[in-house]
Amino acid sequence: MRTYDLIVIGGGLVGGAVAWGAARLGASVALLDEGDVAFRAARGNFGLVWVQSKGAGMPPYAHWTRRSAELWPELAGSLAEATGVDVGLRQNGGLAFCFSEAEYQAREDLIARMHNESGGSGARMIGRAELRAMVPGIGDGVVGAAFCPADGHANPLKLLRSLQSGLAGFGGDYLPGRTVDAIDYDGGFTVRVGAERFLAKRVVIAAGLGSRRLAPMVGLSMPVSPLKGQIVVTERLAPLLDYATHVIRQTDEGSVMMGDSQEDVGFDIRTTTPIMRDIAARNLAALPALRDANVVRVWAALRVMTPDGCPIYEQSATHPGAFSATCHSGVTLAGAHALALAPAVMAGALPASLAAFNAGRFDVPQA
Ligand SMILES: Cc1cc2nc3c(=O)[nH]c(=O)nc-3n(C[C@H](O)[C@H](O)[C@H](O)COP(=O)(O)OP(=O)(O)OC[C@H]3O[C@@H](n4cnc5c(N)ncnc54)[C@H](O)[C@@H]3O)c2cc1C
């Protein structure tokens, strides 16, 4: 039996960031994680710090995303200082390519709508000439793009690794191979893993797709579902793309990652040739120089999706000290999770700015 200030359940990017952020403040923290056998979005994602289209229709999400992007340099710097790991943050702006006039118009409308709803992210439309100056190898089929200076990308595996080792550096315990069975409450929390018991006054449920089962144990609701995405990776290439885009990016190591499929197929992580062919074709149209590149890896992974695609953060009304935390933008929101959400959890209350992320919002359409 071990006692902590905070137990975080789920060692993906969300749980890792919250645990690291709390330990950085001096809290004793246990990060309980099922481990590599779990469906784990944190190990299969695209690595974007993506601002420009996040929060359409939900201004608090747009504001939270922008705040996270602003906090990202501090997160990356702190991790590098504490762990020696450079997470490869590059935040020089992101491009959303438009392959037709209709796509261009739809993007322009989205930017205008988000500007009216939430003040905008600084995104603007750029035409072909400006785009060609930014991406000299751009294909003829791309008519323009949306450019947002706040967008960027990072290496998500290095981020996950540095959050875990950074936690250990602050005296916290990263405990893989611990699948939480149950959570008991008697004013404090007893988290059960087989015969082991972990005690704390505060618990954060950040178990990705495992959260749906755990949340009701402490009076919370996390109705998350899987949404598959497939990713295609080339061999390492000479620099050809200086900006992150929503469908293709060149990593800090030179590989080119492609993919933005969204497949509602349950817990199925098989890759499929037709989807990979579509991904490759679309990106060849964007960057014809990829024609001769060899594909060295492909994979599929499951996003952790809420019914409206926006995050859930909430403190339990019936089990004070229990918090939920989930989203489908764990890279983008890592700055906010580590440097804003974790301090709020340790202070015992979420700020009013996060009230909109209460899972009770899903009851309204049902009612
Ligand atoms: C294809 C794809 C592309 C993506 N691209 C991006 C992107 O470009 N930018 C971005 O910001 N986000 C992206 N994401 C989303 C991002 O990866 C996720 O938001 C993030 O990883 C979610 O982290 P998580 O910690 O909630 O979940 P996960 O990473 O799934 O981690 C959940 C953890 O909980 C643990 N767990 C589950 N049940 C239990 C239990 N009972 N007890 C203990 N531990 C448990 C598991 O072991 C796992 O480690 C992408 C996701 C996918 C799939």
Side-chain angles (χ1 to χ4, degrees):
M1 189 178 282
R2 284 183 258 177
T3 303
Y4 296 89
D5 295 327
L6 172 69
I7 294 170
V8 178
I9 304 175
L13 283 177
V14 176
V18 173
W20 179 86
R24 182 175 183 250
L25 298 174
S28 66
V29 180
L31 180 58
L32 304 180
D33 188 33
E34 185 174 347
D36 289 350
V37 293
F39 288 105
R40 221 187 204 177
R43 288 171 59 92
N45 72 67
F46 200 59
L48 294 178
V49 178
W50 199 248
V51 176
Q52 61 172 276
S53 51
K54 294 280 169 64
M58 195 192 198
Y61 184 25
H63 293 139
W64 183 239
T65 301
R66 283 175 219 155
R67 185 165 173 210
S68 190
E70 286 164 15
L71 288 169
W72 242 104
E74 184 183 341
L75 173 65
S78 301
L79 287 172
E81 193 182 321
T83 67
V85 177
D86 175 1
V87 299
L89 175 67
R90 187 151 164 72
Q91 236 175 335
N92 60 332
L95 293 161
F97 294 146
C98 303
F99 290 87
S100 66
E101 292 299 339
E103 274 188 27
Y104 189 93
Q105 187 60 53
R107 279 276 159 190
E108 193 163 27
D109 292 348
L110 177 67
I111 288 175
R113 181 181 156 204
M114 291 187 68
H115 178 81
N116 293 340
E117 284 176 356
S118 58
S121 59
R124 63 185 174 87
M125 297 307 292
I126 58 174
R128 226 192 115 67
E130 192 176 348
L131 179 58
R132 186 183 278 281
M134 295 168 81
V135 185
I138 195 75
D140 293 339
V142 182
V143 302
F147 175 70
C148 175
D151 289 333
H153 52 152
N155 183 318
L157 294 180
K158 288 182 183 169
L159 173 62
L160 185 63
R161 177 82 186 94
S162 64
L163 289 170
Q164 291 169 353
S165 61
L167 172 65
F170 289 130
D173 288 337
Y174 170 63
L175 301 170
R178 304 312 206 281
T179 305
V180 171
D181 300 314
I183 312 168
D184 302 323
Y185 180 70
D186 62 358
F189 298 92
T190 303
V191 177
R192 290 191 267 143
V193 179
E196 288 182 289
R197 299 287 179 272
F198 301 87
L199 275 57
K201 285 278 178 218
R202 290 188 174 81
V203 167
V204 173
I205 298 180
L209 293 167
S211 301
R212 184 184 268 270
R213 181 179 73 83
L214 296 169
M217 297 176 189
V218 290
L220 290 165
S221 169
M222 299 174 75
V224 288
S225 312
L227 187 69
K228 181 161 102 174
Q230 298 190 41
I231 289 179
V232 176
V233 184
T234 71
E235 62 189 318
R236 294 177 184 187
L237 301 170
L240 55 78
L241 181 60
D242 204 25
Y243 299 90
T245 87
H246 63 324
V247 288
I248 182 168
R249 73 181 187 95
Q250 188 163 23
T251 70
D252 51 338
E253 289 154 344
S255 312
V256 173
M257 292 178 74
M258 303 176 254
D260 63 337
S261 75
Q262 307 210 345
E263 304 160 63
D264 188 0
V265 291
F267 288 84
D268 174 354
I269 51 166
R270 285 172 297 182
T271 52
T272 56
T273 310
I275 295 284
M276 288 188 289
R277 190 192 307 125
D278 286 351
I279 291 171
R282 192 172 159 91
N283 287 295
L284 264 181
L287 282 178
L290 287 176
R291 189 170 305 279
D292 298 324
N294 289 308
V295 169
V296 294
R297 267 193 308 286
V298 296
W299 69 76
L302 302 178
R303 295 183 184 84
V304 183
M305 291 300 288
T306 60
D308 62 1
C310 300
I312 298 173
Y313 310 111
E314 189 174 352
Q315 178 165 199
S316 171
T318 54
H319 300 62
F323 296 83
S324 54
T326 191
C327 68
H328 80 94
S329 308
V331 183
T332 306
L333 295 178
H337 290 159
L339 301 174
L341 183 62
V345 166
M346 292 319 297
L350 299 184
S353 57
L354 295 186
F357 298 104
N358 191 300
R361 70 185 188 270
F362 303 122
D363 300 337
V364 175
Q366 281 176 22

